[in-house]
């Protein structure tokens, strides 16, 4: 005689508690790598601020009594160019 939970839709609906689906395993790796990347960016920003980096020439700063607005246009253009070069290099190396 078969057990009532051994067959039917209830037996196929859930993964056993000890197994991990392949998609969840990949998601865990991706989240870990994204977390490390965010931590690295935060550390770099903190280190640059400690070294006295306040932006590049060409960044716009508007300052009045009690208000300061900062537009890092040139800094963002430079970071975009660096990120584009790094991604291009990564795709070029991985396609070889």
């Amino acid at each position: 005689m078969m057990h009532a939970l051994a067959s039917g839709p209830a037996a196929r609906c859930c993964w056993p508690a000890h197994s991990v689906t392949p998609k969840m395993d990949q998601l865990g790796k991706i989240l870990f790598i994204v977390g490390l990347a965010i931590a690295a960016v935060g550390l770099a920003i903190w280190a640059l601020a400690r070294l006295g980096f306040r932006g590049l020439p060409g960044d716009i700063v508007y300052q009045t009594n009690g208000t300061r607005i900062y537009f890092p246009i040139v800094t963002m253009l430079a970071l975009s160019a660096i990120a584009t070069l790094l991604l291009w290099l990564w795709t070029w190396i991985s396609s070889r």
Side-chain angles (χ1 to χ4, degrees):
M1 186 165 146
M2 289 180 49
H3 193 274
L5 294 177
S7 65
R12 288 178 265 140
C13 77
C14 303
W15 287 84
H18 65 278
S19 70
V20 176
T21 64
K23 291 180 182 177
M24 291 297 286
D25 187 41
Q26 292 291 0
L27 179 64
K29 289 178 184 177
I30 291 170
L31 288 175
F32 182 75
I33 291 170
V34 168
L36 286 177
I38 290 172
V41 168
L43 183 62
I45 291 171
W46 175 78
L48 286 172
R50 297 277 297 184
L51 292 173
F53 179 74
R54 300 287 181 235
L56 295 174
D59 291 347
I60 299 170
V61 179
Y62 176 74
Q63 192 168 3
T64 61
N65 298 337
T67 303
R68 182 176 178 189
I69 300 173
Y70 181 67
F71 299 104
I73 293 172
V74 176
T75 302
M76 289 295 110
L77 287 172
L79 288 177
S80 176
I82 291 169
T84 300
L85 288 173
L86 288 175
L87 288 173
W88 177 83
L89 184 64
W90 183 20
T91 57
W92 183 71
I93 289 173
S94 65
S95 68
R96 297 182 104 210

